[in-house]
Amino acid sequence: MVTQLTLLCLPYSGASAMVYSRWRPKLPQWLRLQPVELPGRGARFGEPLHTDMRVLAMQLARELRPTLHAPYALFGHSLGALLACEMAHALRALGCPEPVALFASGTAAPSLRADYDRGFAEPKTDAELIEQLRTLNGTREEVLANEELMSLTLPILRADFQLCGKFEPVQRPLLNCPVHVLGGKADRATTEQLIGWSQETHGSFSVDMLAGGHFFIHEHEAKVLKVIKDQLERHHRRHAIAATA
């Protein structure tokens, strides 16, 4: 019997959890991928969108708590990284063990977001949102020009930008789990903003810089998955030994 470790994956702004579905066949048998769908998109499209990060994190933590029977890790990219961190705190507040690792990808640390999220708290027009997508180089022009598709995507993106823009750090006990940060060498998060994630934990800390811009997790998917697998393998081995002791 294989002792499994669950990898909870949080999507970036405007995305559904389905962005992680292609990872499933590329992960080892002991690592179970569990994309986390947010209200208002994908299978939860009919639910209200959130604009308060901590309220959303607690809702997701309450929903996931009954399913966390095995050791778990959290991965999030951009918005998803902030949300993954808040979920780690929310799950701890609900009496769950901390994750064996937190992976924060493609965004500034919670305490260093004043410049990174400047202007995001104010609702943007459709044209402003489309231009923002264009500057991130993650959406094809034919998609941006598709009015029907944009009419579904832009309300989600607008709420997600407010999730980040309204976020403010709070004083609280630090996490104890390792925090592993991934950054894109051509992304706008600075080295200082990425290293700032080290202030979120008493545990170990690492940074891996990959080629590419904001969507390096897709451009260099194999390297991202290798970082995740390499970091989690040691936790898997430890829990596998404990389970057979």
Side-chain angles (χ1 to χ4, degrees):
M1 179 178 176
V2 176
T3 302
Q4 284 196 316
L5 193 160
T6 299
L7 179 63
L8 302 174
C9 292
L10 286 303
Y12 45 81
S13 296
S16 160
M18 288 300 291
V19 295
Y20 296 113
S21 61
R22 59 184 287 170
W23 287 10
R24 187 169 281 114
K26 301 173 184 180
L27 294 173
Q29 186 180 2
W30 54 264
L31 187 52
R32 184 176 73 91
L33 180 74
Q34 186 175 338
V36 179
E37 193 67 273
L38 308 188
R41 65 210 79 198
R44 306 182 67 169
F45 186 77
E47 299 179 37
L49 293 161
H50 282 259
T51 57
D52 186 308
M53 187 79 71
R54 292 189 177 91
V55 171
L56 174 57
M58 183 55 74
Q59 177 183 333
L60 294 173
R62 291 186 187 279
E63 292 170 356
L64 290 165
R65 183 185 180 189
T67 71
L68 293 179
H69 302 305
Y72 71 98
L74 286 161
F75 176 94
H77 182 73
S78 196
L79 159 70
L82 268 186
L83 185 54
C85 184
E86 289 304 313
M87 281 182 61
H89 285 280
L91 286 164
R92 183 171 69 178
L94 293 174
C96 293
E98 286 193 26
V100 299
L102 169 64
F103 293 91
S105 173
T107 197
S111 61
L112 296 174
R113 304 192 68 83
D115 292 330
Y116 191 84
D117 287 330
R118 191 177 300 279
F120 276 26
E122 298 300 321
K124 295 181 180 293
T125 66
D126 287 358
E128 287 171 335
L129 286 171
I130 289 173
E131 186 56 33
Q132 185 75 43
L133 286 175
R134 184 175 284 115
T135 61
L136 291 173
N137 296 318
T139 310
R140 300 190 306 275
E141 282 296 327
E142 56 265 35
V143 174
L144 295 175
N146 186 321
E147 292 185 8
E148 183 177 0
L149 188 57
M150 285 293 99
S151 71
L152 297 174
T153 302
L154 292 179
I156 298 171
L157 194 65
R158 183 174 289 109
D160 286 352
F161 278 13
Q162 287 188 278
L163 271 175
C164 293
K166 292 180 177 181
F167 176 85
E168 292 185 1
V170 295
Q171 291 292 323
R172 59 191 172 185
L174 300 182
L175 297 170
N176 295 299
C177 64
V179 172
H180 306 295
V181 170
L182 294 89
K185 292 179 181 177
D187 198 4
R188 68 190 185 93
T190 66
T191 301
E192 180 187 8
Q193 289 170 337
L194 295 175
I195 293 176
W197 279 97
S198 64
Q199 303 304 310
E200 299 302 310
T201 185
H202 291 299
S204 61
F205 176 76
S206 68
V207 179
D208 284 276
M209 297 301 296
L210 286 75
H214 190 60
F215 290 101
F216 64 87
I217 62 165
H218 298 317
E219 298 167 16
H220 302 285
E221 181 182 90
K223 291 183 179 179
V224 171
L225 292 179
K226 185 177 187 306
V227 170
I228 294 172
K229 287 185 287 186
D230 287 351
Q231 293 291 350
L232 290 182
E233 191 164 20
R234 70 190 68 175
H235 302 294
H236 164 66
R237 287 175 179 168
R238 187 178 71 217
H239 286 281
I241 291 170
T244 57

